[in-house]
Amino acid sequence: MYTTELKDRGASTADATLFAEDHALVAQFEARVAADEFIEPKDWMPEAYRKTLVRQISQHAHSEIVGMLPEGNWLTRAPSLRRKAVLLAKVQDEAGHGLYLYCAAETLGTSREEMIAALHAGKAKYSTIFNYPTLTWADIGAIGWLVDGAAIMNQVPLQRTSYGPYARAMVRICKEESFHQRQGYEIMLALANGTPEQRAMAQDALNRWWWPSLMMFGPPDAESPNSAQSFRWRIKRDSNDELRQKFVDITVPQAEFLGLSVPDPDLRWNEEKKGYDFGKVDWDEFYAVVRGEGPVAKERMKARRDAWSEGAWVREAADAYETKRQARRAA
Amino acid sequence: MTKDMIMSRDWPLWEVFIRSKGGLSHKHVGSVHASDGELAVRHARELYTRRMEGVSLWVVKSSEIIASDPSQSGPLFEPAESKVYRHPTFYDIPDVVKHI
């Protein structure tokens, strides 16, 4: 799963801090990044680079963690033991991806505690896609196919991002992610070849997940003010609109194979650009969800906080055990 | 936020190393938080070896690792660069001489 970097609209990067920093160090840093070198935790880096990365990586981590919830909703109701085992493995992978990313963010000097607290306080952002509900089993198929498909497209270029720990986390994540998309498409295939009711369920899921999936690539390039700096720093490697176009071009034929129709009346092949023209994404909806007005945003945060509180006794027991053991060793 | 929402404190960080198969050395793969070493091994098992990535795990408390200073890597590794005679290609041996 993935989040594109979300900022409150209008917020600007703390570029000013650059001027307060040592020009020689900044120049050296920029040269290393431009030469495709990797930056490692103990290397000097501009404060704005550190801040941008902490925000991007922690949002990405939160998205993986919150991303478990829509799918977790169907764990106990998977239609067969095989589907259930697969979904469990996928959801566990998402937890793993969240942890790889928290580790990467921690190397920048932000504690796990701070990041989790920010998420639970509602101060941190995560991908808007997870604030939509999973109403039927077909949604699990659509999420794997479309949401993980969009995530892979976003994440593959990040394997070559300039910050070493982030790039290494992305390599692991990408390796594990491809099964996620294939299992989703397989669910869609089964439904599309099933009874009329199952077909309708698959079409309904595509109808509801198509546009939110396109939003996963983030606002249009014209509205992504920080892109230039992020490109220079190799924190971002392809533009939002380029990736969105690529996703549409790859996904439409997959929908056609399923015999399902993409819910966009303006969608048509453009022979000249060798790609699809498609309708306008409802960005007002996107920004509303970013502001926390998604259909199930409150429910998601409540589930996270409840899980945290209900697991407190486990964390306390582990702490108590270690304290006791240390005391015994000291005696 | 209620009181129990606030994290007491982060568990210590452990660096994780995996031997991918017999005959190879352990290699660093990432880190985990855990209250003690045994739990760190269990967390590492769940987090880093879900797909048969290895046959052996090591965990080391991150705070126990002593690292060289990257900003000093120039002077630190310079002697290796200037002593090229440590490499076999430094020496001129006529082609007719075999097995050397």
Side-chain angles (χ1 to χ4, degrees):
Chain A
M1 303 285 190
Y2 178 75
T3 175
T4 188
E5 202 214 346
L6 299 171
K7 292 186 70 168
D8 290 322
R9 224 173 175 180
S12 70
T13 309
D15 232 349
T17 57
L18 274 181
F19 296 106
E21 288 169 335
D22 188 325
H23 286 292
L25 286 174
V26 173
Q28 213 175 30
F29 169 86
E30 296 275 356
R32 287 186 63 196
V33 172
D36 274 353
E37 278 184 41
F38 287 99
I39 304 301
E40 294 296 339
K42 293 181 114 187
D43 296 345
W44 186 89
M45 60 187 85
E47 227 13 68
Y49 176 83
R50 187 185 297 276
K51 271 192 196 147
T52 307
L53 269 177
V54 166
R55 188 175 54 231
Q56 182 172 328
I57 303 174
S58 63
Q59 282 179 1
H60 195 162
H62 296 327
S63 301
E64 303 284 351
I65 298 299
V66 179
M68 290 192 281
L69 297 170
E71 293 180 297
N73 182 35
W74 282 90
L75 275 175
T76 55
R77 291 173 288 162
S80 70
L81 187 56
R82 176 182 182 272
R83 296 281 186 214
K84 183 174 181 166
V86 167
L87 187 58
L88 255 177
K90 179 186 190 293
V91 171
Q92 193 192 6
D93 272 356
E94 306 299 358
H97 297 174
L99 296 180
Y100 304 153
L101 288 161
Y102 281 131
C103 284
E106 283 178 271
T107 63
L108 292 158
T110 305
S111 72
R112 180 83 57 103
E113 179 181 357
E114 288 171 82
M115 289 185 275
I116 305 256
L119 176 67
H120 290 171
K123 281 188 278 187
K125 303 229 178 290
Y126 55 88
S127 184
T128 50
I129 195 88
F130 305 119
N131 285 334
Y132 291 88
T134 40
L135 304 177
T136 73
W137 170 252
D139 289 13
I140 301 305
I143 287 180
W145 171 36
L146 301 173
V147 176
D148 288 285
I152 292 170
M153 205 152 276
N154 268 321
Q155 287 169 336
V156 164
L158 288 176
Q159 294 180 99
R160 294 172 296 120
T161 193
S162 62
Y163 189 57
Y166 191 25
R168 291 192 286 275
M170 292 320 308
V171 169
R172 282 192 77 88
I173 290 174
C174 287
K175 219 183 269 175
E176 298 179 354
E177 198 89 61
S178 69
F179 116 67
H180 297 181
Q181 193 189 13
R182 290 172 68 99
Q183 66 87 34
Y185 194 74
E186 196 199 60
I187 291 173
M188 294 304 276
L189 257 178
L191 293 172
N193 294 320
T195 63
E197 288 82 1
Q198 288 172 327
R199 268 193 91 68
M201 205 196 267
Q203 181 62 57
D204 168 62
L206 173 57
N207 292 348
R208 283 180 292 107
W209 290 96
W210 176 256
W211 292 105
S213 298
L214 294 194
M215 293 176 196
M216 283 179 73
F217 297 96
D221 293 347
E223 290 180 45
S224 297
N226 301 309
S227 283
Q229 188 179 60
S230 290
F231 274 119
R232 200 176 73 241
W233 282 343
R234 285 173 32 234
I235 290 172
K236 195 181 176 82
R237 309 221 54 164
D238 296 270
S239 89
N240 297 353
D241 287 335
E242 280 164 13
L243 288 173
R244 191 167 12 249
Q245 179 70 50
K246 201 169 153 195
F247 177 77
V248 171
D249 291 345
I250 284 178
T251 312
V252 169
Q254 294 170 351
E256 281 167 1
F257 183 81
L258 293 171
L260 301 177
S261 54
V262 173
D264 179 357
D266 298 324
L267 183 80
R268 53 187 56 84
W269 178 254
N270 181 334
E271 184 57 34
E272 211 170 294
K273 75 169 185 186
K274 298 279 175 213
Y276 286 90
D277 290 331
F278 52 96
K280 200 178 172 313
V281 176
D282 181 356
W283 293 111
D284 290 338
E285 176 180 322
F286 173 76
Y287 286 114
V289 181
V290 170
R291 285 194 304 271
E293 295 163 26
V296 289
K298 289 199 176 70
E299 195 182 316
R300 296 285 183 249
M301 276 307 99
K302 185 182 180 306
R304 279 310 313 152
R305 292 191 197 106
D306 288 352
W308 185 253
S309 315
E310 284 161 22
W313 70 272
V314 180
R315 296 191 298 275
E316 282 159 20
D319 273 338
Y321 178 68
E322 176 58 11
T323 309
K324 192 171 81 179
R325 233 174 31 163
Q326 273 179 10
R328 213 176 275 159
R329 219 176 290 146
Chain B
M1 285 223 300
T2 55
K3 189 172 156 282
D4 63 347
M5 288 309 307
I6 299 160
M7 200 179 218
S8 43
R9 62 182 170 86
D10 273 339
W11 282 332
L13 194 65
W14 304 75
E15 298 303 321
V16 179
F17 299 81
I18 297 179
R19 185 199 298 285
S20 57
K21 59 180 183 182
L24 298 179
S25 2
H26 286 74
K27 198 176 152 215
H28 183 246
V29 292
S31 49
V32 292
H33 283 278
S35 55
D36 64 63
E38 276 169 54
L39 278 174
V41 170
R42 282 170 189 257
H43 289 177
R45 150 71 191 95
E46 283 308 307
L47 191 55
Y48 291 106
T49 62
R50 291 195 300 280
R51 288 175 174 79
M52 295 179 293
E53 284 90 342
V55 295
S56 163
L57 276 170
W58 283 354
V59 296
V60 180
K61 241 185 197 168
S62 311
S63 57
E64 302 285 318
I65 291 178
I66 296 151
S68 62
D69 178 354
S71 69
Q72 292 302 307
S73 66
L76 183 63
F77 298 111
E78 186 282 328
E81 217 171 301
S82 60
K83 293 182 172 64
V84 283
Y85 46 81
R86 282 177 170 155
H87 294 281
T89 46
F90 178 77
Y91 302 92
D92 277 333
I93 306 285
D95 286 347
V96 291
V97 182
K98 299 295 176 198
H99 308 299
I100 183 161

